[in-house]
Amino acid sequence: MSGQGTRRGRVAAAAAGGLLMAVVVGAVGYTVDTVKDADRASGAPVWTPPTASAEGEKEKPATGLAGALVPYRSDGWTRGPDLGEFGADVALSGAHAAALTKESLSDLPRSQRKEMEKEIDRLHITGVAMRSYATTGGFHNGEQTGAATLSIVLTRMNQGAARSGASGRNKAFEALDVFEAGPKIKGHENARCYRLPGESDEEFDIMFCTASQGDVLVSAAAEGVRPFGAKGVAALLTEQLDRLDGTGAAV
């Protein structure tokens, strides 16, 4: 892999590995520094082909923010890999999510960490719902695709923070020379997606998307083998945003 390709892989690995922390911390303006420093992380993404869910697998009933997540489908996006220690499908209380985010700041100087912790408290996080999806590939949404995984994180917080958090994360990706603009999300003007350049000779592709809907910050990270189904990821994110009304409530 070339030096530039290695750097891209490290950025993607670091950003995808800390999706929850990036979502919450990014809402207080820390995303730019986090992503810019990601190329110093070691390692590269390790791809494990997703295992399709058993036919007729039943979902656990979900309410609240978790109930707003797009359901799994046996003929499309099925249950994906675990999101770190959390599993593939999880809901966290606001207090739990805030505590985990504060733990992720432990390496910062004390004064900076304390200031960040105050900013996290000002977000008034009331809940987080995360779900991971997988597809074995095929012909979907008018494109031939390879195997891919996708994770979506919904974070309910102060409405102004959700809006500025989405804007801040998008500006962070725009400031990098690693990614290019991804597909547009129909009907959602504030949603943005960024992916590796199409001319890249890497075997894998990465795409990140961010948006806000009412008081919910929505973040997605997809990874897959080429040909990468960017349109399929965009379609699922569109459906996810459509499931939230203007106040961030499930519809």
Side-chain angles (χ1 to χ4, degrees), residues 5-218:
T6 300
R7 180 171 180 271
R8 287 174 181 166
R10 289 175 177 174
V11 169
L19 183 59
L20 170 62
M21 305 313 168
V23 169
V24 179
V25 179
V28 293
Y30 193 62
T31 303
V32 175
D33 290 337
T34 300
V35 177
K36 283 184 177 178
D37 288 344
D39 62 326
R40 292 201 290 268
S42 61
V46 177
W47 175 256
T48 302
T51 301
S53 300
E55 190 69 27
E57 177 185 355
K58 293 183 179 179
E59 273 188 83
K60 294 179 181 179
T63 58
L65 198 59
L69 286 163
V70 175
Y72 294 123
R73 301 186 181 95
S74 60
D75 60 346
W77 291 99
T78 60
R79 182 179 294 272
D82 287 352
L83 296 166
E85 65 188 85
F86 302 109
D89 192 4
V90 65
L92 304 175
S93 69
H96 190 182
L100 288 171
T101 307
K102 290 177 181 180
E103 287 177 13
S104 75
L105 305 175
S106 60
D107 291 336
L108 293 177
R110 186 175 184 277
S111 60
Q112 188 177 358
R113 185 179 71 251
K114 291 297 182 183
E115 185 58 33
M116 289 295 300
E117 288 176 348
K118 290 178 183 178
E119 291 296 327
I120 291 168
D121 290 336
R122 292 187 187 109
L123 296 178
H124 300 294
I125 300 168
T126 58
V128 173
M130 302 186 289
R131 186 167 289 171
S132 133
Y133 303 83
T135 176
T136 53
F139 193 78
H140 303 293
N141 294 287
E143 62 181 348
Q144 183 67 38
T145 67
T149 60
L150 166 68
S151 55
I152 292 179
V153 179
L154 307 181
T155 307
R156 175 159 279 140
M157 58 177 68
N158 173 283
Q159 184 166 334
R163 185 167 53 249
S164 62
S167 176
R169 279 176 58 79
N170 289 332
K171 288 179 180 178
F173 282 112
E174 288 172 3
L176 295 172
D177 61 358
V178 177
F179 300 101
E180 65 180 17
K184 294 185 180 298
I185 306 301
K186 185 177 180 180
H188 299 279
E189 295 297 324
N190 76 339
R192 297 287 186 277
C193 292
Y194 301 90
R195 60 180 297 191
L196 292 179
E199 69 274 10
S200 171
D201 59 359
E202 294 184 31
E203 182 181 356
F204 306 112
D205 205 341
I206 304 286
M207 189 163 84
F208 299 99
C209 302
T210 309
S212 65
Q213 188 78 322
D215 62 354
V216 177
L217 180 59
V218 181

